Amino acid sequence: MDTDPDTVELFDSLDGQVALVTGANRGIGKRIAAELVGHGATVYAGVRDPESFDPPEDQRVLRLDVTDPTHAEAALDRIEDEQGRLDVLVNNAGVMDTREPLHEMPVDVIERTLTTNVQGPMVLTKYALPLLLQTDAPRVVNLSSGMGALEGMDGGAAAYRVSKAGINGLTAYLHGEYGPKLVANSVCPGWVRTDMGGESASRSVEKGAETPVWLARFRDGPGGKFWRDGEIISW
């Protein structure tokens, strides 16, 4: 990472810390969860369908459909009961069903995209905040996209673009409301070879997870920012 090291202090180990990663059954979320375990964290893997997910032995699985507020509340209740703390929330779960311009996009696609990509993380974060704010260095990492940058709204995938601008707005709000104690950041992982990104994408899952994991390890550092490859980028 090229960020000035004087502005960032990382935890050498996440031993004793607890992390929740949504959409942890595949792609970038799966990789983030595995790397956080590797750094010593107790990781809860949030997945919509636990029965279809064969979790690693070192992760704890939560049934968590982020579009269902009752799942969010129950997930945080379980973490509180079992761990009594939450240090890191990674809002990774997201969808991009179609790429039409707005006038061609079905209303149900708009609703599903905004509910999953904006409302879901916002509600989950609401329920996570009481636990997060009890810790010394709480972090929220929101998976966004360069397609959500306001200066890059150049057409196509209307609902997805607007939803990622919305998750950036949530990040800025969290920083304004709860920073600097809570360090909330958005990250663009780039075009990654996942089910969403497709096989022709230019980046590996490992590369896509690199900056989110780095942000999740902040002991101290900038909050309320939009990052790519360890560098702050424009909203």
Side-chain angles (χ1 to χ4, degrees):
M1 300 299 178
D2 296 329
T3 303
D4 182 351
D6 291 337
T7 67
V8 173
E9 182 182 352
L10 300 180
F11 284 100
D12 294 329
S13 170
L14 299 181
D15 285 349
Q17 297 195 32
V18 179
L20 169 58
V21 181
T22 67
N25 58 315
R26 63 184 182 180
I28 297 173
K30 183 177 181 179
R31 181 70 184 188
I32 292 170
E35 291 200 22
L36 292 179
V37 167
H39 284 290
T42 297
V43 173
Y44 283 80
V47 299
R48 284 185 298 177
D49 184 10
E51 287 74 23
S52 65
F53 177 50
D54 185 16
E57 292 182 0
D58 52 10
Q59 294 180 29
R60 305 184 183 205
V61 180
L62 285 172
R63 181 183 299 278
L64 182 51
D65 179 346
V66 298
T67 67
D68 187 337
T70 66
H71 282 208
E73 187 173 15
L76 270 300
D77 284 347
R78 178 180 160 192
I79 294 172
E80 183 174 20
D81 289 343
E82 294 181 359
Q83 304 296 328
R85 66 183 296 154
L86 181 65
D87 301 87
V88 182
L89 171 62
V90 181
N91 284 311
N92 165 75
V95 297
M96 180 169 61
D97 291 333
T98 60
R99 294 176 174 267
E100 298 102 330
L102 183 58
H103 71 284
E104 297 177 358
M105 183 165 282
V107 170
D108 64 333
V109 171
I110 296 172
E111 291 176 342
R112 169 173 152 81
T113 305
L114 295 180
T115 301
T116 305
N117 295 4
V118 183
Q119 179 178 310
M122 191 170 188
V123 171
L124 182 61
T125 305
K126 163 192 162 58
Y127 286 114
L129 279 166
L131 273 183
L132 286 167
L133 293 173
Q134 291 177 27
T135 64
D136 292 333
R139 290 90 76 199
V140 173
V141 180
N142 292 322
L143 271 290
S144 185
S145 170
M147 293 176 70
L150 295 180
E151 64 180 17
M153 292 286 180
D154 53 3
Y160 182 79
R161 289 182 182 277
V162 171
S163 74
K164 291 305 182 181
I167 200 71
N168 285 349
L170 174 61
T171 300
Y173 164 78
L174 291 171
H175 177 69
E177 186 78 58
Y178 302 104
K181 176 177 175 59
L182 177 74
V183 179
N185 284 294
S186 285
V187 57
C188 168
W191 186 24
V192 178
R193 290 188 292 276
T194 61
D195 289 350
M196 182 187 296
E199 294 181 357
S200 61
S202 58
R203 292 186 164 211
S204 67
V205 169
E206 292 77 12
K207 184 65 176 176
E210 185 178 85
T211 298
V213 170
W214 179 70
L215 292 168
R217 294 176 57 212
F218 272 26
R219 181 191 295 272
D220 189 27
K225 303 297 183 184
F226 191 17
W227 300 80
R228 177 173 171 150
D229 294 340
E231 294 293 327
I232 297 170
I233 60 176
S234 172
W235 293 113

